[in-house]
Amino acid sequence: MRRVSLFTSNFRKKAVGRALGAFLFLCLFFGIEKCMEFALINDTNEWSRAMFHDFYTRQENIDLLFLGSSHVYCGMDPAVLKEKTGKSCFNMATPAQPLNGSYYLLKEAVTYHDVSHVYLELYFGQSTGEEGRFKEAGQLPRNWRNTNYMKPSFRKLSYMLTMSDPSLAYMTFLPARRYTADFFEPEKIKETIRQKRTENYRNYYVENVLNGVTETYVKDGFYYSGHKAEGGVLYDTVRPEPFPENPMTKEAETYLRKIIEFCQKRNIGLTLYCVPVTDYQASLYGDYDRYVSQVKEIAKEYELFFYDFNLCKEGVLDLTDDALFRDKGHLNVYGAEVFSVCFAEFFKGLEEGTVTYEDYFYPSYQEKLSHSKERILGLLVEKREGTKGEALKDTGGETGKEADREAEKGTGGETEGKWLDYRITPIHNLKDREVEYLIYMQDEQGEKQIFADWTGGGRDGFDVRIPRESGTVFIEARPKGETETTNFVQIAQ
Amino acid sequence: MLFNSFGFLIFFPIVTCVYFLIPQKLRYIWLLAASYYFYMCWNAGYALLLFSVTAVTYLGALAMERFPKRKLFLALTVCINLSVLFAFKYFDFALSNINGLLARFSIMPIEPGFSLLLPVGISFYIFQALGYTVDVYRKEIYAEKNFLRYALFVSFFPQLVAGPIERSKNLLRQLKKEQHFDYLRMRKGLLIMLWGYFLKLVIADRAAIFINAVYEDPSFYGGVYLAVATLLFAVQIYCDFAGYSTIARGAALVMGFSLTENFEAPYFAKSVTEFWRRWHISLSGWFRDYLYIPLGGNRKGNFIKYRNLLLVFLASGLWHGAAWNYVVWGGLNGIYQIAEGCVRDGMAKKKKEEIGDRNPDKSGKPLKAKGDAGTVRGTIKGMAGAVFTFLAIDVSWLFFRSDGIAGALENLKSILGMRNFHVLTDGGIFSLGLNRYHFLFLLFAVVLLWIVDFIRYRGMDIFARIEEKKVIVRYGIYLVLFCLVVLFGIYGVGYEASQFIYFQF
């Protein structure tokens, strides 16, 4: 047998030729993939695209870097912060940014800028429950929002290789694969290409219209939203899993530690904090303090502190007015201004020694609620399934009695039949007072059917049976004794 | 471990690289370890069964060579192996039939008190091991003395779970030879693998989206839906099974082994008899050599020939699955061939009478067809034969895919009723997972398959021809196939990595 030597020139020539061939093959393949990406991925309103463009084209150094989720880009106004601190600020925040994303974006930021301080936002939604397990298939889009727009580098490669189970890596490396079903939708492709050829797209202009209010990417990673969370948006129809003990997931904790260690190794200042959400959202998961104490414990290990602005005293930051929020979780431009001022002043005061933690924060969230003014924070409206033949509580009025009679007979009261059963749970911080409801359905002609006329009572929940007809159900709630509606929900059946 | 799983994408290159890097004398041991690991990925316990089958056939073959009572050892080995197959594959089926009978006489059913999982690929490796045993018995080969090498022959991972069912004369011989890395052979092997992935991921699994939706509730869809799904099933099962065999062949070739070609453009066959010479060739060959011929083959007159044919196909049906619909499927294919044989014999007799004295050949040899080939008439006849064969085979697939015999008959009735033609025009047909353009894409892929198969039907080794082409053409073909598989294959999130249909056998 003829032995092949690696050192014969003929073999080397062939090997180089084949390696070049393989390289060219891969280039062509990825070229085709890129073309498909262009046709299939509609990112004309992708926030991250605008933010990364701003980041990479930025001339000014970033002194203060803000990492985190949408709560950061909606709630931290870099212009206000700059004015207050005199330092250049940038929100490197992306929608639902998981902590591994924050870690790699931090690395990206310090490569391009001389960052002196990092503010890492730790919104519980990104690091607990299902969303905290960010390596699972369903959570990957949160990281793709970053990798899609990061410049090629070994950092990016490392991010892509570690963001999921290896069996899912094909979707990370071949973005077009995520949308191959759309390849068979020519109209969609045409529309995507059309939108991508507009001036707005070329200029990285991002715009979103929410209930007639336009929201846009402004500058330095700030999202300008003038939308106000009024008109019955503080409600949910699915009850979330309550916080367990130590709700932060292992993955999230690992990356939190990595971020802390990275900053400490590089002598970059680090502050862990949380942008406030509505009290309704913070209370919805049960004992919010479980999350706060876990983060505080981790921070303590590194001689850090966790500043959760959900625990802020009303005297220094009053966010009880829903009009300061865009929705239940995000501040709007008005809220952002209020919060950014408070944020900057607190840290300035802390640095100067003129304020203490206790001046601004309650020791626990429970304590904050007990000191805050009594109110219904929001409503949980759950459709109850599988209630066949189950008699409901007396809902008052003829309709309720009729429903009960039918339920007893087992003829039409089942969920699959003529009626839909709802359970309404008020999320509140009322001390003794009960909650009362006005519930009615309005059809297209404006006809009203009333199911509860400021009745109900109780503090924990209220059952109501509503006919399975098309129309809109209106639920108004108020603490007993009030004369005006404090909470309002509107659900299309 | 599925060929279309992420694990295999890691496993195969590692096994191949290590295989070529370690010394020759260790290579078969490495392949054996890799093969057992491959099998144990499904269930580690299965390896014990694979080992038992290997040990029994190995010792049986040695005993046949060493001791005079060859027949006894053959019978013993065959019985043990068939008992294992029966216990794991047919016990439940037999019991349910017995219980059905008992129920007719109002007798309490028998409760076995245990349940056995059907090990993946059991029918394949037991048949392969039995083939070896019979070959040794017939003194066609010597018994393999090296247990590990023999164990590798039974468990060689590319073909372990869904064939081709290799003969000892082919594979065992190759396992003894020294293998060296060959770039061109590797390239051809990879191309063959790519084609196999195209068949499985682009065609079979795509067609499965529609077929599964219809067959999930055939009584609801019925008519045209069922007809289209059944036509597509013929394509799906071919691409699924041929896909596996092709990937296996390519993977083996990369490592230097040549496996049996299991499919040769079967849907271009002009008769069912020809179809079975082109479909699952390794199984048909096995049944021919180890069952049909020992039963007397076609040497003892037409009646015995047809009886043997029917028996072989009933056995083949049962081999495919422990259910009556598989038996009917096998029987139907046997009956087709008997009918074809009768017609062929009748026509030959008639022709013989017609040409009578003018025929110089009186030796009784079959008469040659009289010059239809190459003419328009011949072409039309050939095409009609191919279409007719395809339809006949597709009817038999209906029994293969349906839920029981009653279900199959109900489905057949529904197809013949053709009650909902409008779904072809109002777009209803495109509402079951494959929209209009998706269907067109599938059609394009099937046309591509048909073209390749037609070339192969004409006797050309298309993969060898591609390898001879200029670098630009060659790489162009690689690129198109690679893009089709990687970008348009059905895999990953949203689709379960679907098992190959033949794994269950």
Side-chain angles (χ1 to χ4, degrees), chain B residues 362-383:
Chain B
K362 300 272 184 181
S363 63
K365 282 180 187 170
L367 291 167
K368 283 180 182 173
K370 212 180 164 192
D372 259 356
T375 64
V376 176
R377 187 166 173 244
T379 309
I380 292 171
K381 246 171 93 178
M383 281 168 69

mmCIF file of all heavy atoms in Angstrom, chain B residues 362-383:
data_model
loop_
_atom_site.group_PDB
_atom_site.id
_atom_site.type_symbol
_atom_site.label_atom_id
_atom_site.label_comp_id
_atom_site.label_asym_id
_atom_site.label_seq_id
_atom_site.Cartn_x
_atom_site.Cartn_y
_atom_site.Cartn_z
ATOM 1 N N LYS B 362 -37.711 -25.837 -29.250
ATOM 2 C CA LYS B 362 -38.679 -26.754 -28.640
ATOM 3 C C LYS B 362 -38.222 -27.210 -27.255
ATOM 4 O O LYS B 362 -38.717 -28.180 -26.720
ATOM 5 C CB LYS B 362 -38.840 -27.993 -29.548
ATOM 6 C CG LYS B 362 -39.340 -27.717 -30.940
ATOM 7 C CD LYS B 362 -40.850 -27.736 -30.948
ATOM 8 C CE LYS B 362 -41.362 -27.543 -32.390
ATOM 9 N NZ LYS B 362 -42.790 -27.524 -32.450
ATOM 10 N N SER B 363 -37.235 -26.543 -26.747
ATOM 11 C CA SER B 363 -36.650 -27.013 -25.482
ATOM 12 C C SER B 363 -37.504 -26.663 -24.260
ATOM 13 O O SER B 363 -37.209 -27.103 -23.156
ATOM 14 C CB SER B 363 -35.258 -26.381 -25.312
ATOM 15 O OG SER B 363 -35.406 -24.985 -25.234
ATOM 16 N N GLY B 364 -38.552 -25.913 -24.474
ATOM 17 C CA GLY B 364 -39.421 -25.558 -23.343
ATOM 18 C C GLY B 364 -38.954 -24.334 -22.588
ATOM 19 O O GLY B 364 -39.513 -23.972 -21.555
ATOM 20 N N LYS B 365 -37.930 -23.685 -23.080
ATOM 21 C CA LYS B 365 -37.477 -22.453 -22.439
ATOM 22 C C LYS B 365 -38.528 -21.361 -22.624
ATOM 23 O O LYS B 365 -39.253 -21.392 -23.619
ATOM 24 C CB LYS B 365 -36.158 -21.985 -23.069
ATOM 25 C CG LYS B 365 -34.952 -22.759 -22.570
ATOM 26 C CD LYS B 365 -33.713 -22.243 -23.219
ATOM 27 C CE LYS B 365 -32.525 -23.124 -22.866
ATOM 28 N NZ LYS B 365 -31.344 -22.787 -23.657
ATOM 29 N N PRO B 366 -38.625 -20.424 -21.715
ATOM 30 C CA PRO B 366 -39.641 -19.377 -21.894
ATOM 31 C C PRO B 366 -39.440 -18.629 -23.211
ATOM 32 O O PRO B 366 -38.306 -18.363 -23.605
ATOM 33 C CB PRO B 366 -39.439 -18.458 -20.687
ATOM 34 C CG PRO B 366 -38.229 -18.949 -20.001
ATOM 35 C CD PRO B 366 -37.836 -20.260 -20.544
ATOM 36 N N LEU B 367 -40.570 -18.321 -23.819
ATOM 37 C CA LEU B 367 -40.475 -17.628 -25.101
ATOM 38 C C LEU B 367 -40.075 -16.184 -24.877
ATOM 39 O O LEU B 367 -40.525 -15.558 -23.918
ATOM 40 C CB LEU B 367 -41.831 -17.664 -25.809
ATOM 41 C CG LEU B 367 -42.248 -19.040 -26.305
ATOM 42 C CD1 LEU B 367 -43.715 -19.017 -26.693
ATOM 43 C CD2 LEU B 367 -41.392 -19.466 -27.490
ATOM 44 N N LYS B 368 -39.282 -15.684 -25.761
ATOM 45 C CA LYS B 368 -38.862 -14.295 -25.609
ATOM 46 C C LYS B 368 -39.950 -13.361 -26.118
ATOM 47 O O LYS B 368 -40.665 -13.701 -27.057
ATOM 48 C CB LYS B 368 -37.571 -14.056 -26.388
ATOM 49 C CG LYS B 368 -36.363 -14.601 -25.660
ATOM 50 C CD LYS B 368 -35.111 -14.352 -26.439
ATOM 51 C CE LYS B 368 -33.920 -14.951 -25.723
ATOM 52 N NZ LYS B 368 -32.712 -14.865 -26.532
ATOM 53 N N ALA B 369 -40.074 -12.198 -25.489
ATOM 54 C CA ALA B 369 -41.056 -11.217 -25.965
ATOM 55 C C ALA B 369 -40.681 -10.819 -27.378
ATOM 56 O O ALA B 369 -39.507 -10.723 -27.715
ATOM 57 C CB ALA B 369 -41.031 -10.008 -25.053
ATOM 58 N N LYS B 370 -41.730 -10.551 -28.151
ATOM 59 C CA LYS B 370 -41.443 -10.318 -29.563
ATOM 60 C C LYS B 370 -41.311 -8.835 -29.857
ATOM 61 O O LYS B 370 -42.289 -8.161 -30.140
ATOM 62 C CB LYS B 370 -42.543 -10.948 -30.413
ATOM 63 C CG LYS B 370 -42.027 -11.444 -31.748
ATOM 64 C CD LYS B 370 -43.174 -12.058 -32.516
ATOM 65 C CE LYS B 370 -42.816 -12.197 -33.976
ATOM 66 N NZ LYS B 370 -44.010 -12.528 -34.755
ATOM 67 N N GLY B 371 -40.117 -8.383 -29.715
ATOM 68 C CA GLY B 371 -39.708 -7.058 -30.173
ATOM 69 C C GLY B 371 -40.587 -5.849 -29.899
ATOM 70 O O GLY B 371 -40.718 -5.009 -30.772
ATOM 71 N N ASP B 372 -41.185 -5.741 -28.679
ATOM 72 C CA ASP B 372 -41.938 -4.527 -28.332
ATOM 73 C C ASP B 372 -41.005 -3.420 -27.840
ATOM 74 O O ASP B 372 -41.320 -2.236 -27.961
ATOM 75 C CB ASP B 372 -42.940 -4.850 -27.211
ATOM 76 C CG ASP B 372 -44.323 -5.014 -27.792
ATOM 77 O OD1 ASP B 372 -44.462 -4.806 -29.019
ATOM 78 O OD2 ASP B 372 -45.240 -5.360 -27.036
ATOM 79 N N ALA B 373 -39.892 -3.848 -27.290
ATOM 80 C CA ALA B 373 -38.978 -2.887 -26.659
ATOM 81 C C ALA B 373 -38.504 -1.833 -27.647
ATOM 82 O O ALA B 373 -38.164 -2.147 -28.784
ATOM 83 C CB ALA B 373 -37.784 -3.620 -26.087
ATOM 84 N N GLY B 374 -38.533 -0.582 -27.183
ATOM 85 C CA GLY B 374 -38.057 0.505 -28.034
ATOM 86 C C GLY B 374 -39.126 1.083 -28.939
ATOM 87 O O GLY B 374 -38.971 2.170 -29.476
ATOM 88 N N THR B 375 -40.235 0.398 -29.111
ATOM 89 C CA THR B 375 -41.302 0.928 -29.965
ATOM 90 C C THR B 375 -42.248 1.768 -29.108
ATOM 91 O O THR B 375 -42.234 1.676 -27.870
ATOM 92 C CB THR B 375 -42.110 -0.203 -30.620
ATOM 93 O OG1 THR B 375 -42.754 -0.920 -29.567
ATOM 94 C CG2 THR B 375 -41.213 -1.140 -31.418
ATOM 95 N N VAL B 376 -43.067 2.571 -29.779
ATOM 96 C CA VAL B 376 -44.051 3.404 -29.061
ATOM 97 C C VAL B 376 -45.001 2.493 -28.291
ATOM 98 O O VAL B 376 -45.339 2.730 -27.133
ATOM 99 C CB VAL B 376 -44.832 4.281 -30.076
ATOM 100 C CG1 VAL B 376 -45.917 5.060 -29.377
ATOM 101 C CG2 VAL B 376 -43.870 5.221 -30.788
ATOM 102 N N ARG B 377 -45.409 1.415 -28.951
ATOM 103 C CA ARG B 377 -46.342 0.480 -28.316
ATOM 104 C C ARG B 377 -45.716 -0.106 -27.043
ATOM 105 O O ARG B 377 -46.373 -0.210 -25.999
ATOM 106 C CB ARG B 377 -46.671 -0.624 -29.323
ATOM 107 C CG ARG B 377 -47.747 -1.544 -28.839
ATOM 108 C CD ARG B 377 -48.276 -2.398 -29.971
ATOM 109 N NE ARG B 377 -49.175 -3.374 -29.424
ATOM 110 C CZ ARG B 377 -48.980 -4.691 -29.463
ATOM 111 N NH1 ARG B 377 -47.915 -5.172 -30.056
ATOM 112 N NH2 ARG B 377 -49.865 -5.514 -28.939
ATOM 113 N N GLY B 378 -44.446 -0.448 -27.190
ATOM 114 C CA GLY B 378 -43.725 -1.022 -26.055
ATOM 115 C C GLY B 378 -43.631 -0.034 -24.909
ATOM 116 O O GLY B 378 -43.824 -0.387 -23.743
ATOM 117 N N THR B 379 -43.349 1.226 -25.259
ATOM 118 C CA THR B 379 -43.220 2.263 -24.226
ATOM 119 C C THR B 379 -44.555 2.452 -23.506
ATOM 120 O O THR B 379 -44.610 2.523 -22.273
ATOM 121 C CB THR B 379 -42.777 3.595 -24.864
ATOM 122 O OG1 THR B 379 -41.634 3.339 -25.670
ATOM 123 C CG2 THR B 379 -42.430 4.627 -23.814
ATOM 124 N N ILE B 380 -45.625 2.555 -24.306
ATOM 125 C CA ILE B 380 -46.953 2.765 -23.702
ATOM 126 C C ILE B 380 -47.312 1.573 -22.818
ATOM 127 O O ILE B 380 -47.809 1.729 -21.702
ATOM 128 C CB ILE B 380 -48.020 3.006 -24.797
ATOM 129 C CG1 ILE B 380 -47.737 4.347 -25.477
ATOM 130 C CG2 ILE B 380 -49.433 2.972 -24.220
ATOM 131 C CD1 ILE B 380 -48.560 4.629 -26.699
ATOM 132 N N LYS B 381 -47.011 0.388 -23.329
ATOM 133 C CA LYS B 381 -47.304 -0.821 -22.547
ATOM 134 C C LYS B 381 -46.521 -0.806 -21.227
ATOM 135 O O LYS B 381 -47.062 -1.121 -20.176
ATOM 136 C CB LYS B 381 -46.906 -2.063 -23.356
ATOM 137 C CG LYS B 381 -48.104 -2.930 -23.749
ATOM 138 C CD LYS B 381 -47.702 -3.993 -24.719
ATOM 139 C CE LYS B 381 -47.334 -5.280 -24.016
ATOM 140 N NZ LYS B 381 -46.982 -6.343 -24.990
ATOM 141 N N GLY B 382 -45.265 -0.407 -21.341
ATOM 142 C CA GLY B 382 -44.410 -0.349 -20.154
ATOM 143 C C GLY B 382 -44.932 0.647 -19.147
ATOM 144 O O GLY B 382 -45.007 0.361 -17.947
ATOM 145 N N MET B 383 -45.321 1.820 -19.660
ATOM 146 C CA MET B 383 -45.832 2.854 -18.758
ATOM 147 C C MET B 383 -47.128 2.414 -18.098
ATOM 148 O O MET B 383 -47.332 2.614 -16.897
ATOM 149 C CB MET B 383 -46.039 4.170 -19.518
ATOM 150 C CG MET B 383 -44.731 4.922 -19.733
ATOM 151 S SD MET B 383 -44.880 6.269 -20.906
ATOM 152 C CE MET B 383 -45.893 7.399 -20.018
#
